[in-house]
Each structure stands twice: as C-alpha cells, then as structure tokens.
Amino acid sequence: KLQFLYLIEPSIPPMCPSRAVRWNALFGHGPPGPISIGWLMSGSPLVADVLATSGFRAVCVDCQHGATSGASHFTDDIIRRIVASPAVPLARPEANEAAPIGRLLDAGCRGIIAPMIRDVADAERLVAACRYPPEGSRSFGPYAAIACGEAAYGLGDHRETPLAVAMIETAEALDVVEDIAAVEGVDALFVGPLDLAQALGRSPTAMVDGDPVLRDAMQHIRRVAADSHIRSAVFSPTGTTRQCVEDGWDAICPGADLMWMRAAAGGAAESVMPFSSTTPLPEME
C-alpha cells in the first residue's frame, strides 16, 4: 500500500518561477505530501507498465545498476510506455555524461537523476546536459517526439526544461553539498543511502539499522535542500519508508521492482510450503 506516503505534508519551500514550472509535472497535481517514485531495475517493458499504472507519481528507469542501458531499444520502449501512462518518466543514466543523458531525454524522459555528483563541476555538467543552448549544451534531436508528432519538450514554447536531480552518495559530495545545491538549475538532491553509507565507512545496511552517522548525514542533506529552496529525495530500503515520510523528504523511492518481486515471490512460495511434500525430488540421470 502506497497511500500512507501522502499522510504527512512536508514543508514546501518557495521556489523561483522557472524551477516551479519544472517541478509542476511531479508536485503540481495529486494529494499533498511526499511523492512516490517507482524504480525499474529489471529492464522489462511489462514491469514498466505495472509500475507506471500502480499509483507512483514517477517511474525512474535505472540504466546505471539496472538490466538495460540508455542506448537500447528496450529502454526506448520502456520510456514510451511510461510517457503514455499517468506517471512522469525519469531515468538514471549510466554516468553523468552528456551523451547518455541526451539520449534518455530524447527518448522522452522528463528528468534525470544523475549518479555520483561529487562537486560543483559535476552538478554544472548535469544541468548543461539537460538544457539546450544558450542555457546548456544539449544537442537537438528528440527522436521520440519527432516520431510521434509531438512538440519538442524543452524548446520554443515548451521551455519546461527537464528536471536535473543530483545524487549525493559520496563523502566528497557531502563536504560540499551546500555548493552543489546552490548551482543554478539543480532541482533536487537525491540521497543514495547504500553508497553514501559505504563512503562514510558504515555498513551497506546502515539505513535499515538506524546508524546515527548515516542518519545525521542524510538529515543534513535534506536540510540543505530545504534551505536552498530545492527538493529532497531519497531511496528508501525495506522498513525505512515511514521514517523517511516522518523526516519530511519531498520524494521517496520505497525500493525497486526486483526487490518487490523477490519479496512477493518468496511470500507466495512460503504460502505453499506448509502443504508441500517432504519427499525430495528424484535426481536427474
């Protein structure tokens, strides 16, 4: 059940008009409170259909640690399916580089969640890759929009530029997070708690374990985002989502499709086990 994600309304900071326009696709409609982001690792168009029609406000296609890349026909299909759904299509590219970011935007993504943003220069590269000149360096070629006879998103009368979301998941980024948040065009800080925990010398399960060092770092990042009048987002492993809601994160990703399928499949198998035969299966000859 995802409804409880909307029970608590975080403080919504004032934003400049251009940033408010960019966020309108996610925060401009629906009930108050943090938005839910579905995370697609499987690279399956059918699973993308499931996530995009399950109530998530956005679905992020993971090309960094998922089973598909930005230069794949499967990725094109997945993004177009999300575009045709009520959910907002987002993507995490393989790297914070202009070519993979541009291709994902050309395919129809409305925002980029860029991994491993370590400093101001990384944040500036992200923003530039998401914008056409003169504000940025994105090359023009929105093939998906051309194929469907749609207006080119982010150009001309459609100046609602894609969201630029910086992932904060290294010790270097934590040291300069105020400067990253101050980069013009950065719309949100997204905490990757697994990488951040390891960067701080903590266990990968630190967030689930309630590790105080990781929690303090995450709370600092969230406060910096609020103070900078941008949004905060977080990946929330199993058992941590309610705490993230109570802490006031603006956007929460409560796991990923493979995690949810694994848990559901395990539960289904366990439901039959009490009635299963204890006789071992015959060995294959």
Side-chain angles (χ1 to χ4, degrees):
K1 298 291 185 181
L2 298 171
Q3 286 85 345
F4 76 92
L5 288 179
Y6 301 114
L7 292 179
I8 299 175
E9 181 176 4
S11 59
I12 304 298
M15 288 187 252
C16 67
S18 60
R19 182 171 290 132
V21 170
R22 291 199 297 276
W23 271 114
N24 188 61
L26 287 179
F27 288 91
H29 308 282
I35 67 161
S36 54
I37 300 176
W39 201 268
L40 186 82
M41 296 181 71
S42 65
S44 165
L46 287 175
V47 177
D49 282 338
V50 173
L51 298 190
T53 57
S54 293
F56 290 109
R57 194 79 65 82
V59 175
C60 180
V61 181
D62 190 351
C63 298
Q64 184 194 24
H65 292 303
T68 187
S69 70
S72 162
H73 289 301
F74 279 108
T75 306
D76 295 344
D77 186 21
I78 288 167
I79 293 171
R80 296 311 295 173
R81 288 173 184 238
I82 302 170
V83 167
S85 79
V88 176
L90 307 174
R92 176 165 70 169
E94 297 96 320
N96 181 38
E97 297 173 356
I101 289 174
R103 181 173 175 84
L104 290 166
L105 294 176
D106 288 346
C109 283
R110 300 287 293 276
I112 296 295
I113 301 176
M116 294 293 173
I117 300 298
R118 291 181 168 87
D119 52 31
V120 167
D122 282 347
E124 290 174 342
R125 278 192 289 272
L126 164 62
V127 173
C130 290
R131 297 186 176 190
Y132 292 119
E135 293 87 358
S137 59
R138 179 184 172 190
S139 177
F140 183 78
Y143 61 88
I146 293 170
C148 299
E150 299 172 352
Y153 180 72
L155 190 68
D157 293 335
H158 300 269
R159 297 298 293 177
E160 184 184 340
T161 53
L163 295 169
V165 181
M167 292 198 73
I168 307 298
E169 46 191 347
T170 68
E172 301 97 310
L174 184 61
D175 288 340
V176 295
V177 66
E178 293 90 349
D179 297 329
I180 292 173
V183 170
E184 177 63 31
V186 169
D187 294 295
L189 304 179
F190 191 115
V191 174
L194 305 183
D195 279 321
L196 182 59
Q198 294 182 89
L200 297 176
R202 320 307 289 181
S203 164
T205 63
M207 186 173 178
V208 176
D209 299 337
D211 184 287
V213 173
L214 178 63
R215 178 169 172 76
D216 287 349
M218 292 176 61
Q219 289 293 81
H220 174 62
I221 295 167
R222 185 186 59 79
R223 287 192 294 267
V224 167
D227 292 343
S228 303
H229 307 311
I230 63 175
R231 303 289 187 176
S232 62
V234 63
F235 187 87
S236 168
T238 302
T240 65
T241 301
R242 184 169 290 277
Q243 184 65 59
C244 291
V245 174
E246 294 172 354
D247 287 343
W249 293 88
D250 295 314
I252 299 172
C253 176
D257 58 341
L258 293 181
M259 300 173 184
W260 302 322
M261 286 190 286
R262 178 74 183 181
E270 289 180 4
S271 70
V272 180
M273 285 179 183
F275 312 101
S276 299
S277 170
T278 57
T279 303
L281 294 174
E283 295 184 3
M284 298 292 292
E285 295 184 358

